[in-house]
């Protein structure tokens, strides 16, 4: 399932996938895979993304 | 088969070249850091490579039991199995975006892999008329392995360029 919330949060920060990837220390392809729903990140990476984008885990990764 | 001193010198030169490349990488600070998704993909690729190597070894044993080893030295089959396993590992990594580490530039890999392929191709071609598939002609297999890896990297780059999956739709 696509993670559109992550995508929109990144867009709100005016960050490209490459910039977010560099900020959290992963490859651009990994950010792309998370947004496409092809890869489930570890809690460590989820937290790094949340800290970078100023969001909580619930806001970015919780599915209702 | 009696191996000349140049054979062992060639092995030493290969090991020395590898050591120099590793030293340069270390000095420049390239620690080959892979992220968590890449590590998982590399683990799966390693598994594929391992089973491919087992299959190659089984095929080698089968072929030897059927046709004997008159035309093919056992060392050739062992080398073939190793090259097959490495090729499967590398190609699987390449297609899962896990071959290059995060900061790694493909250009250096192109140069090193290209040079290794060319050197092994020359060595293999110079021994092609010996009659038996042996250690010397194994260079052709190693060369083929490097060429397949190089070709896979190029194909993946072309594929990514044609299908820009990362774009911010």
């Amino acid at each position: 399932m696509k993670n559109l919330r992550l995508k929109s949060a990144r867009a709100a920060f005016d960050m490209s996938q490459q910039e977010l990837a560099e900020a959290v220390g992963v490859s651009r392809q990994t950010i792309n895979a998370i947004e496409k729903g092809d890869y489930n990140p570890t809690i460590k990476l989820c937290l790094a993304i949340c800290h970078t984008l100023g969001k909580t885990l619930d806001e970015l990764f919780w599915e209702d | 088969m009696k191996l000349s001193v140049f054979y062992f010198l060639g092995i030493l030169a290969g090991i020395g070249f590898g050591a120099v490349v590793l030293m340069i990488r270390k000095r420049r600070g390239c620690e080959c850091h892979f992220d968590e998704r890449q590590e998982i993909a590399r683990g799966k690729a390693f598994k594929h490579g391992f089973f491919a190597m087992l299959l190659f070894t089984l095929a080698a044993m089968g072929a030897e039991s059927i046709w004997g080893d008159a035309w093919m030295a056992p060392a050739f089959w062992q080398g073939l199995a190793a090259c097959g396993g490495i090729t499967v590992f590398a190609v699987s990594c390449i297609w899962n975006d896990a071959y290059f580490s995060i900061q790694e530039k493909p250009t250096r890999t192109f140069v090193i892999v290209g040079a290794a392929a060319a050197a092994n191709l020359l060595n293999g071609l110079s021994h092609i008329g010996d009659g038996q598939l042996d250690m010397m002609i194994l260079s052709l297999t190693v060369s083929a392995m490097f060429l397949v890896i190089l070709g896979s990297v190029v194909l993946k780059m072309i594929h990514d360029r044609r299908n820009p999956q990362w774009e911010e739709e």
Side-chain angles (χ1 to χ4, degrees), chain B residues 38-62:
Chain B
Q38 288 178 311
E39 280 176 1
I40 291 170
R42 288 175 74 83
K44 284 180 185 165
F46 187 83
K47 188 175 74 178
H48 296 150
F50 175 73
F51 283 112
M53 194 177 75
L54 284 186
L55 282 177
F56 274 109
T57 307
L58 282 176
M61 288 162 68

Side-chain angles (χ1 to χ4, degrees), chain B residues 5-52:
Chain B
V5 69
F6 294 107
Y7 175 79
F8 294 104
L9 284 176
I11 291 176
L12 280 178
I15 293 170
F17 179 73
V20 168
V21 170
L22 281 177
M23 274 170 55
I24 291 171
R25 290 176 75 127
K26 199 140 201 171
R27 187 173 287 184
R28 287 185 180 174
C30 178
E31 291 293 331
C32 283
H33 171 69
F34 295 94
D35 67 35
E36 54 183 49
R37 183 196 58 83
Q38 288 178 311
E39 280 176 1
I40 291 170
R42 288 175 74 83
K44 284 180 185 165
F46 187 83
K47 188 175 74 178
H48 296 150
F50 175 73
F51 283 112

Side-chain angles (χ1 to χ4, degrees), chain A residues 10 27-28 30 32 39 42, chain B residues 35-37 165-166 168:
Chain A
R10 177 174 61 74
S27 63
R28 195 265 308 147
T30 298
N32 180 56
Y39 173 65
T42 60
Chain B
D35 67 35
E36 54 183 49
R37 183 196 58 83
Q165 12 102 12
W166 64 89
E168 349 264 303

Side-chain angles (χ1 to χ4, degrees), chain A residues 38-56:
Chain A
D38 290 343
Y39 173 65
N40 281 325
T42 60
I43 191 74
K44 192 179 162 195
L45 179 54
C46 289
L47 284 172
I49 292 170
C50 288
H51 288 147
T52 305
L53 297 177
K55 299 278 184 186
T56 63

